[in-house]
Structures are given as structure tokens and as C-alpha cells.
Amino acid sequence: MAALQDKYKELIDAAQAAGTSNLKVNELDGVLHIEGEAPTGAVKDQLWNIYGKIDPNFLTGDVVMNINVATAVAGAKLKVITESSNLNIRKGPGTDQPIVGKAAHNEIVSLISKQSDQWWLIRTDAGEEGYAYAQYLQPVE
Amino acid sequence: MIMKLKHLTTVILSVGLLFMISCKSKPKDADIQAAVTTALQSSPGVSADVKDGVVTLSGSVASQADKDAAEAAVKLNQGVKSVVNNVTVAPPPPPPPAPVEVTADDALKTAVAGIVKDFPGIQADVKDGVIIITGEQKADRWKKLKMALDALKPKKVDASGLKVK
């Protein structure tokens, strides 16, 4: 246990110092699981940068890091961070669900609620409402 | 002369009597210590110090009940005037960390497929909670993918078969 925690000490220390809440650091079968809620998206980015510095290109596979952003609460403004394409808005939480709308790349939408860590219910300024993949949505600060 | 001797005897006798009385009303600290130590055998971690009949308890126990029990056991002993209970109650050990939650394979497969379809050049497989990633990807895109995959709560993301461009 200690070896992995030592290797990623800078990352764990940074998560603690930045005020990550509900921080959980556990080891399971040679993989360090780091979970928590960062106060801002910038902190999440910082933690991922430190992780990438310790393990270039995240190729060792000895860490699973699941950091949410605390500012992503109902009513928050979210930016669509797809690479370039539109973001599908679906009727339900799942890629098998029909598409009911689209949000453009870099468009700002509102968070209504979180169905899960993966699927968030959002509303566009045009009034389209539905579920979208959380990984393409970043809280605007 | 006889009178003087009589007087001296009286004095010696009274002093002796006084000494005996004081002894009786004040059991020796060593005796109290012995009795108290025996009484504390049922309270591991607690030790006693006796001075002039005052017992000072020290040490550390797991609960307030244990602390009270030690004091009660000591108080019963003859000669104990009072008890100073300096025993500390140790805080309970922190709960063991919650076990790592790993998403079941079926749910993981569906979620992985939904993400990976937006990353051309990447193939993904799921086995026993481990996401196995193969193919080729640019470093910044792979970082995005890894962030998304880690959020699915897998056991591990195995990218040993991935080529980062």
C-alpha cells in the first residue's frame, strides 16, 4: 500500500491541500483509487496534471482517479467541451435513448440535475431539455 | 524519683497509644497500593499511585464505562480517601476505509461503449471490472478518455496496449 501512496504522494497531498472534499484514497489489487470532489474545475485540472507528471500519459494503469467538481450543482452553467462536434441531448440517460436536441461546441447550457456521474439533465438557452454525457460538460466559473 | 518514673511511663504509654491509633486510622499507602493494584487487575491499561490515602488513576482505556469501572473498583478498598481519576478515554479507532466500489461488467461495458465511440482509433474491452484499451490516440485526447473512463468506477484502466501519439 505504502509504495503506491508514496509514488503518488504529491498528487494526494495536492488533493488534500486544495480542499478536495470526501477524499478517498484506497488501494485495490495494485491500483490506487482516488475519489473526491474538487472545489473548482481548475483544481480538478491541476490534479490531473500532477497525475500526468508522475505517470506520463497515464499508461501504468496503477491509478483510477475519479474527481468531480463541486460547482457542478443544479442551476450551474456548463460549457459544452466536445472536441468540435455538437453534443447530443437525449430523452433518457443512455446512448440508446432517442436524441431530442443538440448543444453546439462551446455553447453554455444549464444543469438541471445529475442523474448519475455520467448523465446530467441539462437545458439549453433555446429551451431544449434532456440528458447529456457529463464528460463533455464543464462548470463555468 | 518514683513519681518521675511513673510520669515518664505515662508519657511513653500515651505516645505509644497515639501512635497505634494513628496507625489504625491511617493504613499504610503501601497496603492500599497493594489492594488497589489487585482491584485494578480487571482494568487493563490503568495504573494507580497512592499518596496519603489518595489514589490517582492514570492510563488509557477504550470507553468512559471502563474509566468509571476502574474508579469504582478502587473506591471500595479500605483506606482509600479519595480517587483522582486521570484515566483518559482513547478515541475510537477510525473506521476502516470504505471498500473500493467497482462497477459491474455489464453496466461498465455499456458505459465504456458510449464513451469510446467518440474516440475513433480506440478499441475497448471490459473484463472483471478492468477496462482494456488498445489502439492509437493523441495524448490530449487520451487524457480526456482516461478521465471519462476513470469516472465509470472501473477496477483498473489497462492501457498497456495503447500507443500514444
Side-chain angles (χ1 to χ4, degrees), chain A residues 14-28:
Chain A
Q16 280 165 347
T20 307
S21 56
N22 298 321
L23 183 66
K24 282 195 276 182
V25 180
N26 278 318
E27 195 179 324
L28 178 71

Side-chain angles (χ1 to χ4, degrees), chain B residues 106-127:
Chain B
D106 285 347
L108 201 53
K109 266 181 193 160
T110 313
V112 168
I115 291 174
V116 167
K117 69 171 175 50
D118 294 325
F119 292 84
I122 287 285
Q123 293 85 45
D125 201 7
V126 172
K127 198 167 184 282

Side-chain angles (χ1 to χ4, degrees), chain A residues 1 5 12 15-16 20-27 32-37 64-67, chain B residues 96-101 153:
Chain A
M1 183 133 186
Q5 297 218 8
I12 297 163
Q16 280 165 347
T20 307
S21 56
N22 298 321
L23 183 66
K24 282 195 276 182
V25 180
N26 278 318
E27 195 179 324
L32 197 63
H33 288 252
I34 302 169
E35 253 181 75
E37 200 166 75
V64 168
M65 184 159 78
N66 184 12
I67 298 287
Chain B
V100 177
E101 269 179 66
K153 297 187 170 63

Side-chain angles (χ1 to χ4, degrees), chain A residues 23-125:
Chain A
L23 183 66
K24 282 195 276 182
V25 180
N26 278 318
E27 195 179 324
L28 178 71
D29 295 341
V31 179
L32 197 63
H33 288 252
I34 302 169
E35 253 181 75
E37 200 166 75
T40 63
V43 168
K44 179 181 173 172
D45 287 345
Q46 179 211 352
L47 295 179
W48 274 92
N49 288 339
I50 295 171
Y51 175 16
K53 195 181 77 182
I54 300 171
D55 179 23
N57 283 330
F58 319 100
L59 289 173
T60 311
D62 53 4
V63 165
V64 168
M65 184 159 78
N66 184 12
I67 298 287
N68 293 313
V69 178
T71 47
V73 292
K77 295 288 175 198
L78 306 169
K79 187 176 169 185
V80 176
I81 51 160
T82 51
E83 195 178 19
S84 61
S85 57
N86 292 330
L87 175 66
N88 288 331
I89 301 173
R90 295 176 184 272
K91 192 178 176 188
T95 47
D96 53 345
Q97 295 287 317
I99 296 168
V100 295
K102 284 186 188 293
H105 173 65
N106 282 344
E107 186 177 331
I108 305 293
V109 299
S110 301
L111 177 62
I112 300 172
S113 65
K114 289 179 180 174
Q115 204 271 337
S116 65
D117 281 349
Q118 280 79 53
W119 290 98
W120 292 357
L121 184 60
I122 58 161
R123 186 188 295 125
T124 65
D125 283 348

Side-chain angles (χ1 to χ4, degrees), chain B residues 83-104:
Chain B
V83 179
V84 178
N85 196 341
N86 286 342
V87 171
T88 53
V89 177
V100 177
E101 269 179 66
V102 174
T103 309

